Amino acid sequence: DSDSVTEVLNYTKSNYAPPNKAYFGAAEGMNVVYVHLESFQTFLMNYELHGEEVTPFLNSLIGDSNTLYFDNFYHQTAQGKTSDAEFMLENSLFGLPKGSAFITKGKNTYQAAPADLKDKGYKSAVFHGNNATFWNRSEIYKSFGYDHFFDIKSYTGLTDMDMAEYGILDKPFFEQSVDLLETLPEPFYTKFITVAHHFPYNINQELTTIEKAATGDTSVDNFFQTARYADEAIEQFFAELEDSGLADNTMIVMYGDHYGISENHNSAMEQILSKEITPIDNADLQRVPLFIHVPGMKGGVNHTYGGQIDLLPTVMHLLGVETQDNIYFGTDLLSKEHEELVTFRNGDFVSPEIYSIGDTFYDRKSGLPLAEDQLEQAKKLQEQGIYKLHLSDQTVNGDLLRFYSPEGFTPVNPADYQYKEVTT
Ligand code: GP9
Ligand code: MN
């Protein structure tokens, strides 16, 4: 009810971090293109296998003059995997502790980015080479206010060679997607969900340009081939955006959705990383790459600790959109007041000094459990994170956004949206 909304609003208002003037509006009026980097982990960036870079194109964007790259950015997904990542990105709300909010909360009221940007003249679309119903996307995207959803039915002339386990391989996918993208009016807010680099990372060997790894663990060994393929597909996508003339006026945000290699593969990963994997390393293996490319913006490598919950306020502020009235559980990564505390869905957290993993608090630098006299600060951070998760869950489980609408926001009526098959 409205009392619970008040508690949530009190929290989000006090947690709010104002935009950084140097970046606010850097992408004002521009198109937005999100690239969902399926199963990409930060350890892949600049990693060399057999003396070769695995992801040369993405690596070339690290240090690019118009690209921010975040090397301490963590996924915060749970059982909802891809859908949890999308849920956080569109709403700055946490996914649920169990199951997938996409499936169980598809009919909730949301104030998601596609809806919020409508008043600013944006049309929105998702491109994904799988069936529309996977993760209940075709329902929840309506509640988010997505104008278009181009799923596998919008793509033509596909052969077996074009298909991965979860849909169209990234190269044919991006190739046809750009034609579909060109049918949209500008400015647009869009998301492209890749699938080639998905567990168990099988790919036709004729399509590969790097040898497998040789740990003896099949999914770890395959991982690098599909990552290379995805990297090439993204390079091709950038070139196509350039050719279409859209690139100069488009902000491109690329994020890893969740880990691709679970802890069960740590012995193979120790061979890959040539080191023993400590609890700290395990937590850091939950880092996923985040790139924000904006024509004309000052780029660089940013070491801020942050997570997927923080991306939406960051993007909104780059677009020059104020967010103090939004119910967001994350804060702008570029804000001077962004707090470097990343809480995972299970209540564990990482921060520049302290990591909390299971029942133990660790000193990040030494990797040792914290001494008794340092526990107070750790417990404070833990409680802060747990309170935040609790309020986010309360918002989602109670469908509380029904009772609140930020100033100037036009509520979404899901019945207004129908996703038709569109072919070019
Ligand atoms: C399929 C896809 C995969 O449509 O996005 O989701 P995941 O298995 O990674 O959660
Ligand atoms: Mn995924």
mmCIF file of all heavy atoms in Angstrom, residues 249-297:
data_model
loop_
_atom_site.group_PDB
_atom_site.id
_atom_site.type_symbol
_atom_site.label_atom_id
_atom_site.label_comp_id
_atom_site.label_asym_id
_atom_site.label_seq_id
_atom_site.Cartn_x
_atom_site.Cartn_y
_atom_site.Cartn_z
ATOM 1 N N ASN A 249 25.411 9.233 -33.746
ATOM 2 C CA ASN A 249 24.394 9.742 -32.834
ATOM 3 C C ASN A 249 23.862 8.631 -31.924
ATOM 4 O O ASN A 249 22.708 8.663 -31.520
ATOM 5 C CB ASN A 249 23.248 10.366 -33.665
ATOM 6 C CG ASN A 249 22.304 11.161 -32.795
ATOM 7 O OD1 ASN A 249 22.725 11.821 -31.840
ATOM 8 N ND2 ASN A 249 21.013 11.072 -33.087
ATOM 9 N N THR A 250 24.712 7.661 -31.626
ATOM 10 C CA THR A 250 24.249 6.510 -30.846
ATOM 11 C C THR A 250 25.198 6.191 -29.709
ATOM 12 O O THR A 250 26.413 6.109 -29.888
ATOM 13 C CB THR A 250 24.088 5.272 -31.771
ATOM 14 O OG1 THR A 250 23.126 5.577 -32.781
ATOM 15 C CG2 THR A 250 23.629 4.043 -30.995
ATOM 16 N N MET A 251 24.586 6.017 -28.533
ATOM 17 C CA MET A 251 25.331 5.575 -27.360
ATOM 18 C C MET A 251 25.247 4.047 -27.331
ATOM 19 O O MET A 251 24.161 3.492 -27.463
ATOM 20 C CB MET A 251 24.629 6.174 -26.142
ATOM 21 C CG MET A 251 24.923 5.544 -24.830
ATOM 22 S SD MET A 251 23.777 6.316 -23.624
ATOM 23 C CE MET A 251 24.640 5.926 -22.151
ATOM 24 N N ILE A 252 26.380 3.378 -27.180
ATOM 25 C CA ILE A 252 26.373 1.917 -27.169
ATOM 26 C C ILE A 252 26.830 1.422 -25.790
ATOM 27 O O ILE A 252 27.930 1.749 -25.341
ATOM 28 C CB ILE A 252 27.289 1.336 -28.261
ATOM 29 C CG1 ILE A 252 26.885 1.884 -29.643
ATOM 30 C CG2 ILE A 252 27.232 -0.203 -28.247
ATOM 31 C CD1 ILE A 252 27.791 1.459 -30.774
ATOM 32 N N VAL A 253 25.949 0.663 -25.149
ATOM 33 C CA VAL A 253 26.243 0.138 -23.816
ATOM 34 C C VAL A 253 26.342 -1.384 -23.924
ATOM 35 O O VAL A 253 25.396 -2.032 -24.362
ATOM 36 C CB VAL A 253 25.111 0.486 -22.826
ATOM 37 C CG1 VAL A 253 25.439 -0.027 -21.429
ATOM 38 C CG2 VAL A 253 24.849 1.992 -22.808
ATOM 39 N N MET A 254 27.465 -1.932 -23.563
ATOM 40 C CA MET A 254 27.635 -3.391 -23.644
ATOM 41 C C MET A 254 27.952 -3.953 -22.267
ATOM 42 O O MET A 254 28.856 -3.460 -21.587
ATOM 43 C CB MET A 254 28.770 -3.729 -24.607
ATOM 44 C CG MET A 254 28.496 -3.183 -26.011
ATOM 45 S SD MET A 254 29.626 -3.862 -27.228
ATOM 46 C CE MET A 254 31.069 -2.884 -26.858
ATOM 47 N N TYR A 255 27.205 -4.966 -21.871
ATOM 48 C CA TYR A 255 27.375 -5.515 -20.526
ATOM 49 C C TYR A 255 27.347 -7.040 -20.550
ATOM 50 O O TYR A 255 26.571 -7.647 -21.286
ATOM 51 C CB TYR A 255 26.245 -5.016 -19.609
ATOM 52 C CG TYR A 255 24.871 -5.497 -20.056
ATOM 53 C CD1 TYR A 255 24.303 -6.661 -19.515
ATOM 54 C CD2 TYR A 255 24.174 -4.823 -21.047
ATOM 55 C CE1 TYR A 255 23.058 -7.116 -19.952
ATOM 56 C CE2 TYR A 255 22.945 -5.275 -21.487
ATOM 57 C CZ TYR A 255 22.392 -6.419 -20.939
ATOM 58 O OH TYR A 255 21.175 -6.880 -21.382
ATOM 59 N N GLY A 256 28.167 -7.666 -19.722
ATOM 60 C CA GLY A 256 28.069 -9.104 -19.514
ATOM 61 C C GLY A 256 26.885 -9.383 -18.616
ATOM 62 O O GLY A 256 26.616 -8.627 -17.680
ATOM 63 N N ASP A 257 26.136 -10.449 -18.898
ATOM 64 C CA ASP A 257 24.916 -10.674 -18.112
ATOM 65 C C ASP A 257 25.153 -11.464 -16.831
ATOM 66 O O ASP A 257 24.534 -11.194 -15.808
ATOM 67 C CB ASP A 257 23.788 -11.290 -18.959
ATOM 68 C CG ASP A 257 24.081 -12.683 -19.493
ATOM 69 O OD1 ASP A 257 25.258 -13.087 -19.545
ATOM 70 O OD2 ASP A 257 23.105 -13.382 -19.861
ATOM 71 N N HIS A 258 26.045 -12.457 -16.874
ATOM 72 C CA HIS A 258 26.308 -13.296 -15.693
ATOM 73 C C HIS A 258 27.514 -14.160 -16.014
ATOM 74 O O HIS A 258 27.990 -14.179 -17.150
ATOM 75 C CB HIS A 258 25.091 -14.156 -15.337
ATOM 76 C CG HIS A 258 24.523 -14.906 -16.510
ATOM 77 N ND1 HIS A 258 25.165 -15.972 -17.091
ATOM 78 C CD2 HIS A 258 23.398 -14.707 -17.242
ATOM 79 C CE1 HIS A 258 24.446 -16.419 -18.113
ATOM 80 N NE2 HIS A 258 23.367 -15.652 -18.241
ATOM 81 N N TYR A 259 27.990 -14.903 -15.024
ATOM 82 C CA TYR A 259 29.152 -15.755 -15.285
ATOM 83 C C TYR A 259 28.796 -16.796 -16.348
ATOM 84 O O TYR A 259 27.630 -17.163 -16.521
ATOM 85 C CB TYR A 259 29.650 -16.440 -14.001
ATOM 86 C CG TYR A 259 28.660 -17.436 -13.422
ATOM 87 C CD1 TYR A 259 28.510 -18.704 -13.974
ATOM 88 C CD2 TYR A 259 27.872 -17.116 -12.317
ATOM 89 C CE1 TYR A 259 27.592 -19.616 -13.466
ATOM 90 C CE2 TYR A 259 26.953 -18.015 -11.801
ATOM 91 C CZ TYR A 259 26.819 -19.257 -12.383
ATOM 92 O OH TYR A 259 25.911 -20.155 -11.899
ATOM 93 N N GLY A 260 29.824 -17.250 -17.050
ATOM 94 C CA GLY A 260 29.624 -18.318 -18.017
ATOM 95 C C GLY A 260 30.203 -19.619 -17.500
ATOM 96 O O GLY A 260 29.774 -20.713 -17.864
ATOM 97 N N ILE A 261 31.209 -19.480 -16.644
ATOM 98 C CA ILE A 261 31.889 -20.636 -16.073
ATOM 99 C C ILE A 261 31.627 -20.616 -14.574
ATOM 100 O O ILE A 261 32.047 -19.692 -13.878
ATOM 101 C CB ILE A 261 33.420 -20.543 -16.332
ATOM 102 C CG1 ILE A 261 33.722 -20.478 -17.856
ATOM 103 C CG2 ILE A 261 34.152 -21.694 -15.674
ATOM 104 C CD1 ILE A 261 33.382 -21.725 -18.629
ATOM 105 N N SER A 262 30.931 -21.625 -14.080
ATOM 106 C CA SER A 262 30.584 -21.642 -12.658
ATOM 107 C C SER A 262 31.749 -22.160 -11.823
ATOM 108 O O SER A 262 32.732 -22.701 -12.351
ATOM 109 C CB SER A 262 29.353 -22.511 -12.438
ATOM 110 O OG SER A 262 29.728 -23.875 -12.522
ATOM 111 N N GLU A 263 31.590 -22.013 -10.517
ATOM 112 C CA GLU A 263 32.615 -22.494 -9.572
ATOM 113 C C GLU A 263 32.932 -23.972 -9.722
ATOM 114 O O GLU A 263 34.006 -24.421 -9.333
ATOM 115 C CB GLU A 263 32.112 -22.285 -8.132
ATOM 116 C CG GLU A 263 32.305 -20.900 -7.611
ATOM 117 C CD GLU A 263 31.804 -20.779 -6.171
ATOM 118 O OE1 GLU A 263 32.067 -21.689 -5.368
ATOM 119 O OE2 GLU A 263 31.139 -19.768 -5.881
ATOM 120 N N ASN A 264 31.971 -24.730 -10.258
ATOM 121 C CA ASN A 264 32.214 -26.165 -10.443
ATOM 122 C C ASN A 264 33.386 -26.440 -11.380
ATOM 123 O O ASN A 264 33.873 -27.558 -11.438
ATOM 124 C CB ASN A 264 30.975 -26.854 -11.046
ATOM 125 C CG ASN A 264 29.760 -26.669 -10.183
ATOM 126 O OD1 ASN A 264 29.894 -26.475 -8.980
ATOM 127 N ND2 ASN A 264 28.570 -26.702 -10.785
ATOM 128 N N HIS A 265 33.787 -25.404 -12.124
ATOM 129 C CA HIS A 265 34.875 -25.594 -13.093
ATOM 130 C C HIS A 265 36.174 -24.972 -12.608
ATOM 131 O O HIS A 265 37.064 -24.690 -13.406
ATOM 132 C CB HIS A 265 34.470 -24.985 -14.447
ATOM 133 C CG HIS A 265 33.229 -25.591 -15.019
ATOM 134 N ND1 HIS A 265 33.250 -26.712 -15.831
ATOM 135 C CD2 HIS A 265 31.927 -25.258 -14.869
ATOM 136 C CE1 HIS A 265 32.007 -27.023 -16.167
ATOM 137 N NE2 HIS A 265 31.178 -26.162 -15.591
ATOM 138 N N ASN A 266 36.274 -24.756 -11.292
ATOM 139 C CA ASN A 266 37.444 -24.034 -10.790
ATOM 140 C C ASN A 266 38.780 -24.723 -11.044
ATOM 141 O O ASN A 266 39.784 -24.048 -11.202
ATOM 142 C CB ASN A 266 37.287 -23.694 -9.304
ATOM 143 C CG ASN A 266 36.617 -22.333 -9.119
ATOM 144 O OD1 ASN A 266 36.279 -21.669 -10.101
ATOM 145 N ND2 ASN A 266 36.431 -21.918 -7.877
ATOM 146 N N SER A 267 38.787 -26.047 -11.107
ATOM 147 C CA SER A 267 40.122 -26.638 -11.322
ATOM 148 C C SER A 267 40.600 -26.355 -12.743
ATOM 149 O O SER A 267 41.782 -26.064 -12.955
ATOM 150 C CB SER A 267 40.180 -28.114 -10.933
ATOM 151 O OG SER A 267 39.272 -28.843 -11.707
ATOM 152 N N ALA A 268 39.694 -26.373 -13.715
ATOM 153 C CA ALA A 268 40.088 -25.979 -15.081
ATOM 154 C C ALA A 268 40.434 -24.488 -15.115
ATOM 155 O O ALA A 268 41.399 -24.069 -15.775
ATOM 156 C CB ALA A 268 38.964 -26.277 -16.066
ATOM 157 N N MET A 269 39.649 -23.681 -14.379
ATOM 158 C CA MET A 269 39.909 -22.238 -14.365
ATOM 159 C C MET A 269 41.264 -21.917 -13.728
ATOM 160 O O MET A 269 41.918 -20.935 -14.095
ATOM 161 C CB MET A 269 38.783 -21.504 -13.626
ATOM 162 C CG MET A 269 37.525 -21.337 -14.454
ATOM 163 S SD MET A 269 37.806 -20.417 -15.982
ATOM 164 C CE MET A 269 38.082 -18.781 -15.303
ATOM 165 N N GLU A 270 41.707 -22.748 -12.790
ATOM 166 C CA GLU A 270 43.035 -22.516 -12.206
ATOM 167 C C GLU A 270 44.121 -22.692 -13.272
ATOM 168 O O GLU A 270 45.107 -21.966 -13.287
ATOM 169 C CB GLU A 270 43.259 -23.445 -11.004
ATOM 170 C CG GLU A 270 42.359 -23.043 -9.836
ATOM 171 C CD GLU A 270 42.639 -23.780 -8.535
ATOM 172 O OE1 GLU A 270 43.233 -24.888 -8.575
ATOM 173 O OE2 GLU A 270 42.250 -23.230 -7.472
ATOM 174 N N GLN A 271 43.884 -23.636 -14.184
ATOM 175 C CA GLN A 271 44.846 -23.787 -15.289
ATOM 176 C C GLN A 271 44.787 -22.579 -16.211
ATOM 177 O O GLN A 271 45.813 -22.074 -16.667
ATOM 178 C CB GLN A 271 44.519 -25.032 -16.120
ATOM 179 C CG GLN A 271 44.693 -26.344 -15.373
ATOM 180 C CD GLN A 271 44.330 -27.520 -16.285
ATOM 181 O OE1 GLN A 271 44.881 -27.671 -17.374
ATOM 182 N NE2 GLN A 271 43.402 -28.345 -15.836
ATOM 183 N N ILE A 272 43.557 -22.113 -16.485
ATOM 184 C CA ILE A 272 43.383 -20.963 -17.387
ATOM 185 C C ILE A 272 44.050 -19.707 -16.814
ATOM 186 O O ILE A 272 44.714 -18.958 -17.524
ATOM 187 C CB ILE A 272 41.871 -20.696 -17.624
ATOM 188 C CG1 ILE A 272 41.231 -21.835 -18.422
ATOM 189 C CG2 ILE A 272 41.615 -19.353 -18.282
ATOM 190 C CD1 ILE A 272 41.721 -21.996 -19.844
ATOM 191 N N LEU A 273 43.876 -19.512 -15.506
ATOM 192 C CA LEU A 273 44.386 -18.289 -14.881
ATOM 193 C C LEU A 273 45.794 -18.471 -14.308
ATOM 194 O O LEU A 273 46.384 -17.520 -13.798
ATOM 195 C CB LEU A 273 43.428 -17.813 -13.773
ATOM 196 C CG LEU A 273 41.985 -17.527 -14.214
ATOM 197 C CD1 LEU A 273 41.095 -17.209 -13.015
ATOM 198 C CD2 LEU A 273 41.925 -16.376 -15.230
ATOM 199 N N SER A 274 46.312 -19.702 -14.390
ATOM 200 C CA SER A 274 47.628 -20.034 -13.846
ATOM 201 C C SER A 274 47.788 -19.598 -12.395
ATOM 202 O O SER A 274 48.813 -19.037 -12.016
ATOM 203 C CB SER A 274 48.764 -19.403 -14.669
ATOM 204 O OG SER A 274 48.609 -19.705 -16.007
ATOM 205 N N LYS A 275 46.764 -19.792 -11.614
ATOM 206 C CA LYS A 275 46.869 -19.494 -10.189
ATOM 207 C C LYS A 275 45.784 -20.229 -9.420
ATOM 208 O O LYS A 275 44.790 -20.670 -10.007
ATOM 209 C CB LYS A 275 46.769 -17.981 -9.927
ATOM 210 C CG LYS A 275 45.385 -17.373 -10.176
ATOM 211 C CD LYS A 275 45.443 -15.853 -10.181
ATOM 212 C CE LYS A 275 45.652 -15.214 -8.829
ATOM 213 N NZ LYS A 275 44.475 -15.244 -7.938
ATOM 214 N N GLU A 276 46.009 -20.326 -8.137
ATOM 215 C CA GLU A 276 45.012 -20.927 -7.266
ATOM 216 C C GLU A 276 43.846 -19.944 -7.141
ATOM 217 O O GLU A 276 44.055 -18.737 -7.076
ATOM 218 C CB GLU A 276 45.653 -21.160 -5.887
ATOM 219 C CG GLU A 276 44.766 -21.914 -4.927
ATOM 220 C CD GLU A 276 45.202 -21.700 -3.472
ATOM 221 O OE1 GLU A 276 46.412 -21.446 -3.255
ATOM 222 O OE2 GLU A 276 44.331 -21.765 -2.585
ATOM 223 N N ILE A 277 42.601 -20.444 -7.136
ATOM 224 C CA ILE A 277 41.439 -19.545 -7.017
ATOM 225 C C ILE A 277 41.009 -19.452 -5.554
ATOM 226 O O ILE A 277 40.530 -20.420 -4.974
ATOM 227 C CB ILE A 277 40.289 -19.995 -7.929
ATOM 228 C CG1 ILE A 277 40.749 -19.892 -9.399
ATOM 229 C CG2 ILE A 277 39.037 -19.149 -7.701
ATOM 230 C CD1 ILE A 277 39.748 -20.373 -10.412
ATOM 231 N N THR A 278 41.223 -18.268 -4.980
ATOM 232 C CA THR A 278 40.875 -18.016 -3.577
ATOM 233 C C THR A 278 39.411 -17.560 -3.504
ATOM 234 O O THR A 278 38.805 -17.266 -4.537
ATOM 235 C CB THR A 278 41.753 -16.885 -3.021
ATOM 236 O OG1 THR A 278 41.417 -15.691 -3.747
ATOM 237 C CG2 THR A 278 43.236 -17.187 -3.198
ATOM 238 N N PRO A 279 38.854 -17.444 -2.301
ATOM 239 C CA PRO A 279 37.490 -16.898 -2.189
ATOM 240 C C PRO A 279 37.374 -15.499 -2.818
ATOM 241 O O PRO A 279 36.370 -15.182 -3.451
ATOM 242 C CB PRO A 279 37.252 -16.846 -0.676
ATOM 243 C CG PRO A 279 38.133 -17.917 -0.114
ATOM 244 C CD PRO A 279 39.358 -17.935 -0.992
ATOM 245 N N ILE A 280 38.412 -14.684 -2.653
ATOM 246 C CA ILE A 280 38.410 -13.342 -3.259
ATOM 247 C C ILE A 280 38.356 -13.459 -4.787
ATOM 248 O O ILE A 280 37.598 -12.768 -5.462
ATOM 249 C CB ILE A 280 39.694 -12.550 -2.839
ATOM 250 C CG1 ILE A 280 39.728 -12.350 -1.330
ATOM 251 C CG2 ILE A 280 39.821 -11.240 -3.600
ATOM 252 C CD1 ILE A 280 38.818 -11.299 -0.782
ATOM 253 N N ASP A 281 39.173 -14.364 -5.335
ATOM 254 C CA ASP A 281 39.174 -14.558 -6.790
ATOM 255 C C ASP A 281 37.806 -15.026 -7.269
ATOM 256 O O ASP A 281 37.330 -14.613 -8.330
ATOM 257 C CB ASP A 281 40.218 -15.597 -7.212
ATOM 258 C CG ASP A 281 41.633 -15.148 -6.917
ATOM 259 O OD1 ASP A 281 41.903 -13.944 -7.016
ATOM 260 O OD2 ASP A 281 42.467 -16.021 -6.574
ATOM 261 N N ASN A 282 37.205 -15.911 -6.500
ATOM 262 C CA ASN A 282 35.879 -16.404 -6.850
ATOM 263 C C ASN A 282 34.884 -15.267 -6.976
ATOM 264 O O ASN A 282 34.102 -15.204 -7.929
ATOM 265 C CB ASN A 282 35.378 -17.328 -5.746
ATOM 266 C CG ASN A 282 35.199 -18.728 -6.269
ATOM 267 O OD1 ASN A 282 34.917 -18.922 -7.450
ATOM 268 N ND2 ASN A 282 35.352 -19.688 -5.395
ATOM 269 N N ALA A 283 34.912 -14.370 -5.985
ATOM 270 C CA ALA A 283 34.016 -13.211 -6.028
ATOM 271 C C ALA A 283 34.357 -12.354 -7.249
ATOM 272 O O ALA A 283 33.472 -11.887 -7.966
ATOM 273 C CB ALA A 283 34.133 -12.403 -4.747
ATOM 274 N N ASP A 284 35.649 -12.176 -7.509
ATOM 275 C CA ASP A 284 36.051 -11.325 -8.636
ATOM 276 C C ASP A 284 35.768 -11.980 -9.986
ATOM 277 O O ASP A 284 35.702 -11.289 -11.005
ATOM 278 C CB ASP A 284 37.514 -10.916 -8.504
ATOM 279 C CG ASP A 284 37.681 -9.800 -7.475
ATOM 280 O OD1 ASP A 284 36.658 -9.182 -7.095
ATOM 281 O OD2 ASP A 284 38.828 -9.550 -7.054
ATOM 282 N N LEU A 285 35.588 -13.283 -9.986
ATOM 283 C CA LEU A 285 35.177 -13.939 -11.238
ATOM 284 C C LEU A 285 33.719 -13.601 -11.578
ATOM 285 O O LEU A 285 33.246 -13.912 -12.667
ATOM 286 C CB LEU A 285 35.383 -15.449 -11.165
ATOM 287 C CG LEU A 285 36.833 -15.896 -11.398
ATOM 288 C CD1 LEU A 285 37.013 -17.367 -11.042
ATOM 289 C CD2 LEU A 285 37.264 -15.649 -12.844
ATOM 290 N N GLN A 286 33.029 -12.944 -10.654
ATOM 291 C CA GLN A 286 31.654 -12.500 -10.938
ATOM 292 C C GLN A 286 31.658 -11.130 -11.616
ATOM 293 O O GLN A 286 30.613 -10.539 -11.865
ATOM 294 C CB GLN A 286 30.804 -12.457 -9.661
ATOM 295 C CG GLN A 286 30.831 -13.745 -8.849
ATOM 296 C CD GLN A 286 30.615 -14.984 -9.707
ATOM 297 O OE1 GLN A 286 29.678 -15.053 -10.495
ATOM 298 N NE2 GLN A 286 31.515 -15.968 -9.579
ATOM 299 N N ARG A 287 32.856 -10.629 -11.901
ATOM 300 C CA ARG A 287 32.916 -9.371 -12.660
ATOM 301 C C ARG A 287 32.539 -9.636 -14.114
ATOM 302 O O ARG A 287 32.947 -10.641 -14.695
ATOM 303 C CB ARG A 287 34.320 -8.757 -12.603
ATOM 304 C CG ARG A 287 34.613 -8.140 -11.260
ATOM 305 C CD ARG A 287 35.932 -7.419 -11.241
ATOM 306 N NE ARG A 287 37.026 -8.362 -11.385
ATOM 307 C CZ ARG A 287 38.260 -8.137 -10.938
ATOM 308 N NH1 ARG A 287 38.560 -7.002 -10.348
ATOM 309 N NH2 ARG A 287 39.190 -9.036 -11.111
ATOM 310 N N VAL A 288 31.779 -8.722 -14.659
ATOM 311 C CA VAL A 288 31.397 -8.801 -16.073
ATOM 312 C C VAL A 288 31.776 -7.475 -16.724
ATOM 313 O O VAL A 288 31.779 -6.443 -16.053
ATOM 314 C CB VAL A 288 29.882 -9.096 -16.238
ATOM 315 C CG1 VAL A 288 29.537 -10.499 -15.756
ATOM 316 C CG2 VAL A 288 29.021 -8.063 -15.527
ATOM 317 N N PRO A 289 32.119 -7.515 -18.009
ATOM 318 C CA PRO A 289 32.544 -6.259 -18.633
ATOM 319 C C PRO A 289 31.396 -5.272 -18.793
ATOM 320 O O PRO A 289 30.253 -5.679 -18.999
ATOM 321 C CB PRO A 289 33.067 -6.697 -20.013
ATOM 322 C CG PRO A 289 32.607 -8.087 -20.231
ATOM 323 C CD PRO A 289 32.245 -8.674 -18.903
ATOM 324 N N LEU A 290 31.721 -3.998 -18.661
ATOM 325 C CA LEU A 290 30.761 -2.939 -18.974
ATOM 326 C C LEU A 290 31.487 -1.875 -19.797
ATOM 327 O O LEU A 290 32.494 -1.324 -19.352
ATOM 328 C CB LEU A 290 30.195 -2.300 -17.701
ATOM 329 C CG LEU A 290 29.350 -1.027 -17.942
ATOM 330 C CD1 LEU A 290 28.105 -1.318 -18.766
ATOM 331 C CD2 LEU A 290 28.968 -0.364 -16.614
ATOM 332 N N PHE A 291 30.957 -1.643 -20.993
ATOM 333 C CA PHE A 291 31.476 -0.604 -21.880
ATOM 334 C C PHE A 291 30.364 0.415 -22.132
ATOM 335 O O PHE A 291 29.224 0.031 -22.397
ATOM 336 C CB PHE A 291 31.839 -1.178 -23.255
ATOM 337 C CG PHE A 291 32.995 -2.130 -23.255
ATOM 338 C CD1 PHE A 291 32.779 -3.497 -23.088
ATOM 339 C CD2 PHE A 291 34.288 -1.680 -23.450
ATOM 340 C CE1 PHE A 291 33.843 -4.395 -23.110
ATOM 341 C CE2 PHE A 291 35.365 -2.570 -23.481
ATOM 342 C CZ PHE A 291 35.135 -3.930 -23.306
ATOM 343 N N ILE A 292 30.690 1.678 -22.043
ATOM 344 C CA ILE A 292 29.735 2.715 -22.429
ATOM 345 C C ILE A 292 30.425 3.620 -23.446
ATOM 346 O O ILE A 292 31.381 4.333 -23.122
ATOM 347 C CB ILE A 292 29.244 3.534 -21.213
ATOM 348 C CG1 ILE A 292 28.621 2.606 -20.151
ATOM 349 C CG2 ILE A 292 28.231 4.591 -21.656
ATOM 350 C CD1 ILE A 292 28.102 3.322 -18.908
ATOM 351 N N HIS A 293 29.949 3.501 -24.674
ATOM 352 C CA HIS A 293 30.549 4.267 -25.767
ATOM 353 C C HIS A 293 29.618 5.408 -26.159
ATOM 354 O O HIS A 293 28.463 5.179 -26.495
ATOM 355 C CB HIS A 293 30.782 3.328 -26.961
ATOM 356 C CG HIS A 293 31.251 4.037 -28.182
ATOM 357 N ND1 HIS A 293 32.572 4.351 -28.392
ATOM 358 C CD2 HIS A 293 30.566 4.522 -29.248
ATOM 359 C CE1 HIS A 293 32.691 4.997 -29.544
ATOM 360 N NE2 HIS A 293 31.483 5.108 -30.087
ATOM 361 N N VAL A 294 30.109 6.623 -26.079
ATOM 362 C CA VAL A 294 29.306 7.785 -26.451
ATOM 363 C C VAL A 294 30.165 8.695 -27.329
ATOM 364 O O VAL A 294 31.217 9.165 -26.878
ATOM 365 C CB VAL A 294 28.832 8.588 -25.204
ATOM 366 C CG1 VAL A 294 28.043 9.826 -25.620
ATOM 367 C CG2 VAL A 294 28.008 7.724 -24.259
ATOM 368 N N PRO A 295 29.719 8.939 -28.566
ATOM 369 C CA PRO A 295 30.485 9.851 -29.427
ATOM 370 C C PRO A 295 30.724 11.185 -28.716
ATOM 371 O O PRO A 295 29.781 11.755 -28.163
ATOM 372 C CB PRO A 295 29.575 10.036 -30.655
ATOM 373 C CG PRO A 295 28.705 8.817 -30.674
ATOM 374 C CD PRO A 295 28.513 8.418 -29.236
ATOM 375 N N GLY A 296 31.963 11.604 -28.668
ATOM 376 C CA GLY A 296 32.286 12.904 -28.060
ATOM 377 C C GLY A 296 32.513 12.886 -26.562
ATOM 378 O O GLY A 296 32.993 13.856 -25.991
ATOM 379 N N MET A 297 32.183 11.778 -25.898
ATOM 380 C CA MET A 297 32.383 11.709 -24.444
ATOM 381 C C MET A 297 33.826 11.302 -24.134
ATOM 382 O O MET A 297 34.434 10.532 -24.866
ATOM 383 C CB MET A 297 31.417 10.676 -23.843
ATOM 384 C CG MET A 297 31.577 10.469 -22.337
ATOM 385 S SD MET A 297 30.591 9.066 -21.739
ATOM 386 C CE MET A 297 31.551 7.671 -22.353
#
